[in-house]
Amino acid sequence: MNRPLLDTATRIADTIMQDNPGLIVAKWQYDVGLLLTGFWQLSEATGDSKYYDYLKTYYDYFILPDGTIRDYKLQEKNVDHLNCGKNLFPLYAKTGEERFLTAICHLGEQLAIQPRTQSGSFWHKQIYPDQIWLDGLYMAQPFYAAYAGYFQKEDCYEDILRQFCTAREKTYDPRSGLYTHACDESRTAFWADPLTGRSLNIWGRAVGWYSMALADTLDHIPANRTSMRAELISHLQELMAAVVRYQDPQGVWYQVPDSRRNDNYQESTCTCQFAYTLEKGIRMGYLDPDTFLPHLQKAVDGILQVFLCQEEGRTCIGRGCAVAGLGPQDNPRRNGTLDYYFSEPIRDNDYKGVGPFLLLAVAYEG
């Protein structure tokens, strides 16, 4: 059977394991959590346990016998730290090891103390007061929804919906129809518009995180929460209808999707995130296939044609923005301008793109 995406996914995963033998990194790192979710699904699709074993090595290192998470500091109040916790639910279900459940509870304690903006949304981090970042919706809300379901915390669902609705309202950019990277509700951050609090531009990966947040949170919203599900699905439909308007002729998206400045570039992480969301949205019945399937097929072709690199036994997805952020106050370079977004380094096999690609490949061809 010809499975170009899945075959490519295994080669990329093998390259990452070759580059990082044993423990992938000794850091509780949000993008590693996403990547390893892809490894787990790849193991299921191929029947090759080495991908699951690679994930398990990471969590065996970080989750100590008493359930403590190595080097995790609750008082940092960083929503990025929640993302690695998503894999703890299936790990506990598969292994029955109580340490994984205890670690989930530790992360649940962070949900309880995470600072909130005036509107009731989680701060992105302790060092970013009063700020909602689209990235943070992905880091926190799917974990929050899974936690609410597992521990039957019914009152949490309305909080989750409210945070999505607030982010939608606060970051919406009427000029582009998309959503800006972040909003400072206090309107005091140096990068924030003094009237709206929004950051200045649309960053592709931030919108990609947001699209994945909607699609993945829906996995954990009970069927009887019909109005909540309908609202999240409507938001996803609205978002992806805007996103596909910026898909380029080769099927991919740019670092700043609505800019065609000469130093802008086709960017792989947001392209993989959008492709993942399109596939999942169509498969789950959230997105109309007649409208969105052509865009998904075009994106799949674009990923393979534009970003795939193979040489000397290594397989990579290239052209991934290494990082981009806003502030904090002592880092004025990260100001949300186009100059800033186009200045950050570009690298191969960025986990923030590889993770969605692995999940896309499994769902599309597995």
Side-chain angles (χ1 to χ4, degrees):
M1 182 185 298
N2 184 28
R3 300 191 298 180
L5 273 191
L6 200 57
D7 292 343
T8 300
T10 59
R11 292 198 301 273
I12 292 172
D14 290 345
T15 297
I16 289 172
M17 291 193 295
Q18 172 188 319
D19 291 346
N20 307 276
L23 181 67
I24 184 170
V25 66
K27 185 178 179 182
W28 186 251
Q29 193 166 303
Y30 69 90
D31 55 344
V32 173
L34 170 58
L35 175 73
L36 293 179
T37 303
F39 269 65
W40 191 324
Q41 294 302 312
L42 193 61
S43 183
E44 294 286 314
T46 63
D48 194 330
S49 62
K50 69 181 179 182
Y51 302 116
Y52 169 78
D53 293 342
Y54 194 64
L55 171 148
K56 187 67 162 42
T57 296
Y58 181 79
Y59 284 92
D60 283 344
Y61 175 80
F62 275 101
I63 309 304
L64 302 180
D66 64 355
T68 300
I69 304 171
R70 186 190 301 268
D71 299 330
Y72 166 69
K73 296 178 176 62
L74 177 67
Q75 292 304 321
E76 288 183 357
K77 299 173 184 174
N78 179 349
V79 295
D80 286 347
H81 293 333
L82 298 173
N83 196 58
C84 278
K86 296 171 185 176
N87 289 321
L88 295 173
F89 293 97
L91 273 170
Y92 178 58
K94 181 179 178 70
T95 67
E97 295 183 39
E98 288 295 322
R99 60 184 175 130
F100 295 128
L101 182 59
T102 303
I104 290 169
C105 293
H106 288 319
L107 295 173
E109 292 171 15
Q110 182 179 330
L111 292 171
I113 68 166
Q114 189 71 18
R116 293 177 181 251
T117 66
Q118 187 174 8
S119 69
S121 294
F122 292 144
W123 289 11
H124 187 58
K125 300 181 184 180
Q126 179 78 31
I127 62 171
Y128 299 131
D130 302 307
Q131 296 173 23
I132 304 168
W133 291 27
L134 296 186
D135 318 33
L137 274 292
Y138 176 77
M139 304 305 160
Q141 301 306 322
F143 176 85
Y144 190 10
Y147 181 84
Y150 190 87
F151 293 103
Q152 299 183 329
K153 294 182 176 291
E154 295 293 322
D155 58 328
C156 293
Y157 293 118
E158 290 306 316
D159 185 28
I160 292 165
L161 177 60
R162 183 170 55 252
Q163 294 200 47
F164 273 110
C165 291
T166 299
R168 177 188 189 185
E169 174 193 348
K170 300 284 187 180
T171 65
Y172 180 71
D173 171 45
R175 176 186 55 82
S176 66
L178 292 170
Y179 300 82
T180 62
H181 190 166
C183 173
D184 171 25
E185 287 195 9
S186 72
R187 301 186 297 281
T188 59
F190 65 87
W191 50 260
D193 183 290
L195 296 178
T196 66
R198 293 196 301 264
S199 56
L200 299 176
N201 287 291
I202 311 298
W203 181 37
R205 188 155 75 221
V207 182
W209 286 130
Y210 196 32
S211 72
M212 293 175 64
L214 285 161
D216 288 358
T217 299
L218 279 161
D219 289 345
H220 306 291
I221 306 304
N224 63 358
R225 294 263 171 179
T226 53
S227 61
M228 179 179 182
R229 291 185 61 83
E231 188 154 2
L232 292 176
I233 290 168
S234 175
H235 187 180
L236 180 63
Q237 292 168 344
E238 172 188 275
L239 172 64
M240 298 314 292
V243 164
V244 297
R245 293 202 299 267
Y246 295 94
Q247 190 175 25
D248 87 344
Q250 291 183 281
V252 303
W253 283 265
Y254 277 69
Q255 165 78 337
V256 176
D258 62 325
S259 170
R260 288 299 180 266
R261 221 173 78 168
N262 289 338
D263 48 352
N264 200 0
Y265 59 93
Q266 294 168 313
E267 203 278 326
S268 61
T269 66
C270 72
T271 297
C272 291
Q273 290 173 331
F274 292 143
Y276 166 86
T277 303
L278 286 169
E279 190 286 326
K280 186 170 189 178
I282 294 166
R283 173 167 46 87
M284 300 300 292
Y286 309 145
L287 300 176
D288 173 42
D290 290 340
T291 301
F292 290 100
L293 185 57
H295 292 286
L296 170 60
Q297 293 168 333
K298 195 174 179 181
V300 168
D301 292 341
I303 291 167
L304 295 177
Q305 294 170 12
V306 175
F307 299 127
L308 191 61
C309 312
Q310 300 182 81
E311 58 180 337
E312 299 178 355
R314 302 180 75 256
T315 302
C316 299
I317 293 177
R319 299 195 215 176
C321 174
V323 67
L326 297 163
Q329 291 297 120
D330 61 356
N331 192 352
R333 190 182 78 84
R334 303 196 339 161
N335 59 8
T337 62
L338 293 179
D339 288 343
Y340 166 67
Y341 283 118
F342 301 153
S343 70
E344 287 287 16
I346 300 168
R347 62 187 178 192
D348 294 342
N349 274 355
D350 188 282
Y351 300 160
K352 298 176 284 294
V354 174
F357 177 78
L358 299 182
L359 293 167
L360 166 68
V362 168
Y364 199 68
E365 294 179 347

